[in-house]
Amino acid sequence: MSPLAIGAHVDQTDPIDEARARGASLVQIFLGDPQSYKGPVVNHPGGAQALREEAEQAGVDLYVHAPYIINVATTNNRIRIPSRKLLQQHVDTAAEIGAKGLVVHGGHVNAADDPEKGFDNWRKAIEATDLKVPVLIENTAGGEHAMARHLDRIARVWEAISTAEGFDRVGFCLDTCHAHAGGNALETVVADVTAITGRIDLVHCNDSRDEFDSGADRHTNCGQGRIDPELLAAVVRDANAPVVLETPGGAAEHTADIAWLRERLG
Ligand SMILES: [Zn+2]
């Protein structure tokens, strides 16, 4: 079996150089401010096309993380409508740079809302979006009204979107910190998620500064948080998908995290 591809979330200006600095064959980037509704931007001096060619030549796979503020599940029109627009814009730009996928958080509904509305809004968002690259729905850590924190909700999202045109372009991104802090047993999470989605396309391998089921989303470097080190490695091994570290620090810290993980993956 070939070794798992492991990389990190990096600055988007020169992601290929960032990949080289980490000895990584994949990197994840934001296309602009993750907290803003402004559309995506490509900072690479040569633009999207140059970045695409550079990545291909270097053999580096690019993944894009959509802005955190995207919430296609919400019943609030003033958030859902711009979220859908921003999602399409990010899919389009991700396609231009040749990205393998666009990671999007599951989002949430408001406290007073019926969660069914959120599941159906996900279905509508998939229907309405031209998925030029796969969209990878990521599990999140906190909140009681989240669409993708607990397994039962993830199952309902999947059930809802399974009837949507474009469903074959939807995948899953499993974040280990979010799973742990969200209260999902890491001992079984790969099997549990796969039983629902049939797939894990990407792993966000992060240790957690907080305890199990805390609902907090604070990543830390591998082996330095509250997740059992062997369990963290086992999740990555069992998921058997490309890995992105979203851990603190730069090239030095990420290189150390990659080495930590490789050592335990065997
Ligand atoms: Zn993540």
Side-chain angles (χ1 to χ4, degrees):
M1 216 170 70
S2 58
L4 282 181
I6 306 176
H9 184 95
V10 301
D11 184 86
Q12 72 137 306
T13 306
D14 192 350
I16 308 310
D17 191 55
E18 302 284 357
R20 264 187 218 110
R22 292 159 176 80
S25 59
L26 78 157
V27 286
Q28 176 182 282
I29 56 175
F30 288 126
L31 296 173
D33 179 354
Q35 302 291 0
S36 163
Y37 282 108
K38 284 188 200 131
V41 287
V42 176
N43 286 347
H44 190 282
Q49 186 61 27
L51 175 54
R52 179 190 191 122
E53 285 165 11
E54 211 182 298
E56 272 169 18
Q57 276 163 19
V60 172
D61 287 343
L62 300 174
Y63 287 85
V64 174
H65 198 303
Y68 299 124
I69 47 146
I70 286 185
N71 182 4
V72 299
T74 182
T75 60
N76 182 341
N77 294 342
R78 282 174 301 175
I79 296 174
R80 191 182 66 259
I81 291 166
S83 288
R84 271 199 209 167
K85 183 178 170 201
L86 200 53
L87 178 66
Q88 182 68 67
Q89 289 173 327
H90 271 74
V91 167
D92 294 348
T93 308
E96 285 173 23
I97 67 167
K100 300 291 175 202
L102 175 72
V103 178
V104 185
H105 284 182
H108 54 89
V109 292
N110 294 321
D113 290 335
D114 180 353
E116 293 298 325
K117 292 231 167 67
F119 307 139
D120 198 48
N121 280 339
W122 255 114
R123 180 188 62 75
K124 290 177 184 162
I126 297 304
E127 289 271 359
T129 310
D130 177 9
L131 296 178
K132 298 174 182 126
V133 299
V135 159
L136 310 179
I137 301 176
E138 179 179 1
N139 63 309
T140 52
E144 289 312 309
H145 312 286
M147 294 284 104
R149 171 180 178 176
H150 298 297
L151 294 164
D152 58 332
R153 293 279 176 89
I154 295 171
R156 291 293 294 117
V157 170
W158 236 257
E159 207 177 308
I161 64 176
S162 66
T163 62
E165 192 192 333
F167 174 61
D168 57 325
R169 305 284 279 164
V170 180
F172 194 81
C173 173
L174 176 66
D175 187 304
T176 57
C177 170
H178 299 176
H180 162 90
N184 301 286
L186 292 190
E187 289 83 351
T188 58
V189 73
V190 170
D192 294 342
V193 166
T194 309
I196 293 165
T197 63
R199 57 197 291 171
I200 293 175
D201 300 87
L202 191 69
V203 172
H204 282 170
C205 177
N206 305 304
D207 209 332
S208 170
R209 288 171 65 185
D210 301 281
E211 61 193 278
F212 183 79
D213 207 17
S214 59
D217 182 6
R218 299 190 303 162
H219 301 183
T220 192
N221 299 90
C222 297
Q224 293 179 26
R226 306 291 289 271
I227 300 178
D228 177 303
E230 294 313 316
L231 200 47
L232 184 57
V235 169
V236 172
R237 191 186 307 116
D238 294 348
N240 196 28
V243 180
V244 171
L245 296 152
E246 299 175 315
T247 51
E253 290 78 7
H254 291 155
T255 303
D257 279 336
I258 292 170
W260 185 97
L261 202 49
R262 289 237 182 265
E263 198 180 300
R264 281 161 185 83
L265 291 174

